[in-house]
Amino acid sequence: MTKAENNKSNRREFLVAASATTLLANSQLKSMAGTGSAAVSLPSIKLGDYSVTRLIAGFNPIGGYSYLGPHMNAHMKEYFTVENTTDFLLRCYEAGMNTQQFDPTPLMIEVLKKVRERAPRMQFLCLHSATSRWGTIPAVIKASSPFAMSHHGGVTDTLFREGKQEQVHDYVKAVHDQGLLAGISAHNPDNIKRIADAGWENDFFMTCFHYLTRYNDHPDDKDKDKYFGKPFSKAEPETMTRIMREVDKPCLGFKILAAGRAGFSRNGVEEAFKFAFENIKKTDAVIVGMYPRFKDEMTENAGWAAKYGS
């Protein structure tokens, strides 16, 4: 066999193995997504009158936002069909999570209807913004029935940078006018502190462990040339968690795994959960995106949340 033929054979064997792994993961996921009855009790916090588990299922992998490049984005979007997304969320619920944060995409609107039929107690928090392409606040509420809406972090940072922060404040008021809990997400820790110091009436914050809008806020910073894509710094979670401890309102920390980068090291995921829960308030929670194509991340992450978040 020539070298070219050997390489072709190896590639074919790899693709067959990868397909088999995917099929196995999908079949395991579907077999686990059954009655919609939570099998594990996770520690919880209060958002208004709602009890929310300290581990909340995230949305980014469902939407194909991997922060790991276009190939992984496409891989995730291909996997998360309506059927697979429904099965995934039911499995999250059975692993103990009672809440998911979602973007109101057409796929998610369809998924929410299916999940509620089988797990009517699962709760949904909508990430949206004053400039959302997904429609107005009343239209999104009518389509998805969330218990809370939070202003999108990237948009928050942009509006603050442009001196238009009152649009974010107006968004909070508009959500309250609809009878829902209102949150504000941000990547810039200073924006969280400014809102808290000003005494805005939001019910909670969504706080990114990594300042991904740093070089948008500081375009002259020469460090930006050191990175491909978004800057994920090991030091930044300490800054945001300090802010989270300083503000009185509940905070939902996200990107605690640095968009999967924590998994690059042997015990990285466990250490990231341990760090998060040891450095946030008892009234705070975390939002974690999961990709169950190759392993049961739902049960694994629920285990870390139970161990370190109790």
Side-chain angles (χ1 to χ4, degrees):
M1 181 180 290
T2 66
K3 183 177 180 180
E5 289 172 333
N6 187 54
N7 288 341
K8 186 175 182 180
S9 176
N10 289 341
R11 174 173 170 76
R12 183 166 54 248
E13 290 174 3
F14 169 79
L15 292 173
V16 169
S19 297
T21 301
T22 298
L23 289 172
L24 177 60
N26 287 350
S27 65
Q28 289 174 336
L29 180 61
K30 291 172 184 177
S31 69
M32 291 184 291
T35 62
S37 175
V40 179
S41 177
L42 288 178
S44 62
I45 63 168
K46 297 291 286 186
L47 290 185
D49 293 330
Y50 294 86
S51 178
V52 172
T53 48
R54 295 194 80 191
L55 174 59
I56 297 168
F59 169 79
N60 272 357
I62 297 171
Y65 304 113
S66 73
Y67 291 84
L68 293 170
H71 289 172
M72 181 57 75
N73 292 349
H75 205 262
M76 288 178 167
K77 289 191 76 171
E78 176 192 63
Y79 174 77
F80 278 111
T81 61
V82 169
E83 181 183 11
N84 283 348
T85 307
T86 301
D87 291 336
F88 162 68
L89 290 179
L90 290 172
R91 180 62 189 125
C92 285
Y93 185 72
E94 291 182 358
M97 292 164 256
N98 73 351
T99 303
Q100 189 227 3
Q101 171 263 306
F102 72 97
D103 285 11
T105 64
L107 179 143
M108 279 304 305
I109 298 303
E110 187 173 351
V111 167
L112 294 182
K113 295 175 183 176
K114 294 179 178 296
V115 172
R116 285 184 169 118
E117 290 174 356
R118 297 170 63 181
R121 294 184 180 179
M122 193 163 189
Q123 306 169 141
F124 297 94
L125 186 164
C126 180
L127 190 65
H128 189 246
S129 76
T131 59
S132 177
R133 68 185 185 278
W134 301 117
T136 64
I137 292 171
V140 169
I141 293 173
K142 182 177 180 180
S144 61
S145 300
F147 76 96
M149 297 182 76
S150 183
H151 194 271
H152 189 280
V155 181
T156 297
D157 293 344
T158 297
L159 292 174
F160 268 77
R161 187 187 318 127
E162 296 174 350
K164 301 176 182 176
Q165 56 267 26
E166 279 306 309
Q167 291 188 28
V168 183
H169 198 179
D170 289 342
Y171 182 89
V172 170
K173 297 173 185 176
V175 171
H176 278 164
D177 287 344
Q178 296 294 319
L180 273 62
L181 297 181
I184 302 171
S185 178
H187 302 86
N188 184 343
D190 288 342
N191 292 338
I192 299 294
K193 187 166 183 0
R194 287 174 64 184
I195 293 166
D197 288 346
W200 288 13
E201 60 272 49
N202 58 297
D203 300 291
F204 61 93
F205 291 103
M206 284 177 56
T207 49
C208 189
F209 272 36
H210 296 272
Y211 185 3
L212 300 186
T213 55
R214 172 184 298 278
Y215 299 122
N216 299 102
D217 292 345
H218 307 283
D220 296 328
D221 192 326
K222 301 303 182 184
D223 282 347
K224 69 178 183 297
D225 298 326
K226 298 178 181 179
Y227 293 92
F228 287 103
K230 299 291 186 181
F232 286 87
S233 166
K234 290 184 178 180
E236 287 180 342
E238 293 186 4
T239 302
M240 184 57 91
T241 53
R242 175 175 54 79
I243 296 296
M244 292 170 70
R245 294 193 302 271
E246 290 177 359
V247 303
D248 292 333
K249 291 176 181 176
C251 296
L252 311 179
F254 63 101
K255 287 191 173 56
I256 73 165
L257 303 180
R261 288 163 178 78
F264 291 176
S265 59
R266 179 177 175 83
N267 298 315
V269 173
E270 179 181 2
E271 289 302 315
F273 271 92
K274 184 174 187 288
F275 172 87
F277 285 116
E278 287 182 350
N279 286 276
I280 63 178
K281 304 188 300 294
K282 297 296 185 183
T283 53
D284 296 338
V286 298
I287 301 173
V288 178
M290 288 164 267
Y291 189 37
R293 193 166 193 163
F294 303 110
K295 68 173 182 176
D296 182 5
E297 295 186 0
M298 300 78 70
T299 299
E300 179 181 308
N301 291 343
W304 301 136
K307 180 176 181 178
Y308 295 111
S310 296

